[in-house]
Amino acid sequence: MVHVTRGFTGRHPATDDRLPPGQYLTDDFPVLSAGPTPAIRRDEWTFSVRDGDQALRSWTWDEFTALPAEDITVDIHCVTRWSRLDTTWRGVAIDDLLADVDTAAEYVLARSYGGYTTNLPLEDLLDGKAWIAYEHDGDDLPAEHGGPARLLVPHLYLWKSAKWIKSLDLVDDDDPGFWESLGYHDYGDPWREQRYQGD
């Protein structure tokens, strides 16, 4: 006869090693935004890379979507504790966008349509770790999830993957962005539960 205590839940599923501490799995894609959803027409959309006050490169929608793109499958983790595994995206690698950029900057301030900003170390966008994504699950990225295009940095909490991306500003100083100025962690590593300043 087998006795099972109330606390016994059996063998943990194989996905546990992909779930950061404090997170739960969901198949949903909750919509969390700090303000109204910007309505950005693709024929008016532009994306630029700037180094300080100098604009280095700028693309229209047609120019950007003509760039070589990658299909990406990654796990994503929101600071509000939900995680989704094996999400699929299509977009352009930041490595390709910055391939010929010579800069001494160590940080990036991502700017969005609507005024949102978030700060990241430049090295966290390179070496295959980040993209500007414009498709999700094989469809155009919907506005509520950041369409026409968003930054995708899956190894950090999702607030670092700025929706409605407008530019990447290469900067010398790690100045806090929108949520970081309101007490969120400057870096946001889900595996170290860096949710708020002091974590």
Side-chain angles (χ1 to χ4, degrees), residues 1 12 30-31 49 72 86 107 119 142 154 194:
M1 182 175 185
H12 292 284
V31 176
V49 173
I72 309 132
D86 297 322
Y107 299 95
N119 55 303
Q194 293 175 332

Side-chain angles (χ1 to χ4, degrees), residues 20-48:
Q23 298 292 113
Y24 68 90
L25 286 178
T26 182
D27 293 326
D28 295 332
F29 197 169
V31 176
L32 302 166
S33 301
T37 298
I40 307 154
R41 292 171 41 143
R42 291 181 177 176
D43 59 355
E44 296 176 348
W45 182 89
T46 62
F47 172 74
S48 61

Side-chain angles (χ1 to χ4, degrees), residues 37-109:
T37 298
I40 307 154
R41 292 171 41 143
R42 291 181 177 176
D43 59 355
E44 296 176 348
W45 182 89
T46 62
F47 172 74
S48 61
V49 173
R50 304 169 53 84
D51 194 351
D53 294 331
Q54 181 182 5
L56 299 180
R57 294 179 177 174
S58 183
W59 296 267
T60 66
W61 181 259
D62 288 343
E63 291 168 341
F64 192 84
T65 54
L67 296 173
E70 298 179 5
D71 293 316
I72 309 132
T73 300
V74 291
D75 302 340
I76 55 175
H77 313 287
C78 181
V79 71
T80 60
R81 300 187 182 277
W82 60 262
S83 292
R84 292 182 67 205
L85 305 183
D86 297 322
T87 62
T88 59
W89 309 79
R90 184 169 179 78
V92 179
I94 303 296
D95 291 312
D96 292 338
L97 299 175
L98 301 183
D100 299 325
V101 171
D102 183 18
T103 181
E106 295 184 14
Y107 299 95
V108 171
L109 189 65

